[in-house]
Amino acid sequence: MGIITDIFLPLALAFIMLSLGLGLTGSDFARVAKQPKDFFVGLICQIILLPTVAFLLVKFWSISPELAVGVMIIAAAPGGVTSNILTSFARGDVALSISLTAIISLLSVVTVPFILLTSLGFLGLDNISKDISLINMAISMFLIVVVPTLVGMLFRKFLSNTAIKFEPIAKKISMVL
């Protein structure tokens, strides 16, 4: 299973992000920067609201400590490639989704440990090991999300006709992956 999770999965996710980048331009991200309200609503929902709701659920619902930790990890983790591809399939704002994924992934170096350690303390689960390499996780997310998206955008900018022809093929491949 190591070759699948260590090599195939990251390459597949990077290809999906590259295919999304083929459909994006710098003006898409400029629009997000000019209209930051949606971005900040998404940021607050993902960093504050989601972990708070998850914490309340595990606090007041009688579940095992292992499951409680798992719920908090999922709630604290940044959105990933899947959210971006689903946004594309739903014809949503892919630039906004990628912006949220990228920024929250960078912030995750601070937010994930804070959310996990705080919630574990409040849940009385201080004895659980806390040596998760979140810096490596953030670097990996950056390499899998941001770099391939930029490559796709550069491909579209400099080889526009080829990128426009390849984009539907890349999206079909992405659906299979």
Side-chain angles (χ1 to χ4, degrees):
M1 182 120 140
I3 195 165
I4 291 173
T5 57
D6 294 341
I7 297 172
F8 177 74
L9 187 59
L11 288 176
L13 295 174
F15 181 81
I16 290 168
M17 293 310 300
L18 179 113
S19 73
L20 291 174
L22 292 172
L24 296 171
T25 62
S27 62
D28 293 322
F29 292 98
R31 181 179 36 76
V32 171
K34 287 178 187 171
Q35 300 171 342
K37 180 182 160 194
D38 295 339
F39 176 82
F40 285 112
V41 168
L43 185 83
I44 289 167
C45 285
Q46 197 164 352
I47 291 179
I48 297 170
L49 185 62
L50 180 61
T52 301
V53 169
F55 176 78
L56 292 172
L57 285 173
V58 300
K59 181 72 176 168
F60 296 109
W61 214 339
S62 181
I63 60 175
S64 70
E66 296 83 7
L67 188 56
V69 171
V71 169
M72 291 313 302
I73 289 171
I74 290 170
V81 175
T82 307
S83 69
N84 299 330
I85 194 73
L86 291 175
T87 300
S88 174
F89 291 154
R91 302 193 194 289
D93 191 339
V94 177
L96 175 62
S97 179
I98 290 174
S99 296
L100 281 166
T101 298
I103 299 299
I104 292 172
S105 293
L106 293 174
L107 292 174
S108 72
V109 175
V110 175
T111 60
V112 171
F114 176 77
I115 292 167
L116 284 177
L117 297 177
T118 303
S119 63
L120 292 176
F122 283 132
L123 292 170
L125 303 173
D126 293 324
N127 59 339
I128 295 174
S129 175
K130 297 172 182 130
D131 30 301
I132 302 169
S133 179
L134 295 168
I135 293 173
N136 288 342
M137 183 178 75
I139 291 168
S140 296
M141 288 292 295
F142 179 80
L143 293 173
I144 291 172
V145 173
V146 177
V147 173
T149 301
L150 290 174
V151 169
M153 290 174 67
L154 290 170
F155 187 38
R156 176 162 183 140
K157 181 174 182 153
F158 294 110
L159 297 167
S160 183
N161 290 335
T162 307
I164 290 170
K165 289 177 185 173
F166 180 62
E167 183 183 5
I169 297 165
K171 290 211 175 179
K172 288 178 183 172
I173 294 169
S174 294
M175 283 193 294
V176 172
L177 294 174

